[in-house]
């Protein structure tokens, strides 16, 4: 194959990609060394890297995308007029992967806003889970926040908790904590990061092959940021356990025999409590959420996503005691006073609210844990401060 000339004074030939998709590029080792500390180390005669010993030979980079590397080469060789003004989403992902791998994200600063802006509306859409990786590379809190929370809600967990290796590296999930005043310091940009986290957690699955897949059937191993997979799966596990605790707590409220009825109508009715409690118990039993030990139930629900389990719980029906009818002397039905109606006794609204609250904060915890990395990446792009 004929090499593509990138620099008139090129002294290296690089082969990017494999098989039919591979491309040869003639590049300047000086330009590459200035653009990337990783390339500088790899090409240094004293580095010990295999690439540095291939003098006057084609140097292979089989794992990289030829198209993405070509764009980065254009930038680092100052051929700015040839750099595309727009990128397809997959091209944007690949370019970010190259810059992440070779630590040269700072090169993208003049073009990044033009490339990112057209795709921002897709952050929370299924099939665009790679947004979390893009945001991770460019240190963008807003985008990261929008992509991760959707992930926590939809992970189906098969077999056992696994950590996904991204770009050949893997980090264990950090301890998910946040500062006491994190909520008060959060800005719109930080709020966006949480929403991004939810997107992946709500839509991806971990199959028996121990690979991570999106709801649209796309393999997400390379789309997830470093170590985020473990954090997302841990957040999903905690969310499922929390939902089960909420349901068990509701059953416990009705099972306690002492104290007045929970019926909200006047006068209160124990028969109403009995109907509501029976509806709840039978419904939870049909979902295998009750009765049983919390850990055992969590294990049996291993293949359920937070989103699916939440939907099933919210769909539970509730029978309430019929409101007694009153009649006029002429036999006409009198509309019952609001305080006498039993439709307010259903567990549905309050249970739904508690279930909705379960996953709130999970993505913020992940965001806080990884904020140091995001801050570092933003500084590389010239941003002096990052919102918490």
């Amino acid at each position: 194959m004929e090499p593509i000339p990138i620099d008139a004074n090129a002294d290296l030939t690089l082969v990017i990609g494999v098989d039919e998709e591979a491309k040869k590029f003639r590049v300047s080792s000086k330009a590459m060394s200035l653009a990337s500390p990783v390339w500088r180390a790899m090409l240094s005669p004293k580095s010990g890297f295999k690439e540095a010993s291939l003098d006057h030979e084609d140097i292979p980079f089989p794992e990289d995308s030829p198209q993405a590397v070509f764009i980065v080469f254009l930038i680092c060789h100052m051929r700015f007029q040839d750099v595309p003004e727009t990128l397809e989403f997959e091209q944007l992902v690949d370019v970010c992967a190259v810059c992440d791998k070779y630590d040269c994200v700072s090169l993208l600063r003049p073009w990044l806003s033009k490339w990112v802006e057209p795709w921002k509306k897709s952050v929370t859409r299924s099939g665009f889970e790679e947004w979390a990786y893009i945001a991770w590379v460019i240190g963008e809190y807003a985008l990261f926040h929008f992509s991760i929370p959707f992930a926590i809600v939809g992970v189906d967990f098969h077999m056992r908790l696994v950590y996904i290796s991204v770009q050949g590296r893997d980090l264990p999930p950090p301890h998910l904590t946040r500062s006491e005043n994190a909520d008060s310091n959060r800005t719109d940009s930080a709020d966006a990061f949480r929403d991004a986290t939810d997107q992946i957690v709500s839509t991806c699955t971990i199959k028996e092959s121990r690979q991570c897949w999106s709801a649209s059937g796309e393999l997400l191993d390379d789309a997830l940021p470093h170590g985020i997979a473990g954090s997302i799966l841990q957040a999903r596990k905690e969310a499922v356990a929390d939902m089960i605790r909420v349901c068990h707590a509701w059953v416990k409220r009705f099972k306690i025999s002492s104290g007045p009825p929970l019926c909200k109508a006047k006068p209160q009715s124990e028969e109403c409590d009995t109907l509501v409690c029976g509806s709840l118990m039978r419904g939870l039993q049909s979902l295998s959420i009750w009765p049983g030990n919390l850990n055992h139930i969590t294990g049996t629900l291993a293949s359920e996503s937070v989103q699916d389990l939440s939907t099933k719980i919210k769909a539970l029906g509730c029978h309430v005691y019929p409101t007694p009818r009153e009649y006029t002397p002429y036999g006409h039905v009198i509309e019952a006073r609001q305080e006498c109606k039993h439709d307010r006794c259903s567990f549905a609204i309050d249970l739904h609210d508690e279930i909705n609250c379960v996953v709130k904060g999970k993505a913020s915890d992940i965001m806080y844990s990884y904020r140091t990395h995001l801050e570092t990446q933003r500084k590389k792009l010239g941003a002096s401060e990052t919102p918490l």
Side-chain angles (χ1 to χ4, degrees), residues 356-377:
N356 287 336
C357 289
V358 163
V359 296
K360 288 185 178 179
K362 297 295 183 184
S364 297
D365 293 339
I366 295 177
M367 179 183 70
Y368 186 80
S369 300
Y370 289 99
R371 66 172 184 171
T372 300
H373 171 84
L374 296 172
E375 290 170 355
T376 300
Q377 295 301 99

Side-chain angles (χ1 to χ4, degrees), residues 71-90:
I71 293 172
V72 175
F73 281 167
L74 292 176
I75 297 174
C76 68
H77 287 80
M78 302 182 69
R79 288 179 52 180
F80 304 140
Q81 72 279 5
D82 297 322
V83 177
E85 292 292 318
T86 61
L87 295 180
E88 293 298 320
F89 184 73
E90 288 304 323

Side-chain angles (χ1 to χ4, degrees), residues 293-300:
N293 176 269
L294 176 65
N295 292 332
H296 175 72
I297 297 173
T298 303
T300 61

Side-chain angles (χ1 to χ4, degrees), residues 314-339:
K314 293 177 184 179
L316 294 178
C318 180
H319 298 286
V320 295
Y321 194 70
T323 301
R325 290 186 175 183
E326 296 183 13
Y327 298 88
T328 67
Y330 301 100
H332 299 296
V333 177
I334 300 175
E335 178 70 22
R337 298 189 305 275
Q338 188 64 32
E339 62 183 16

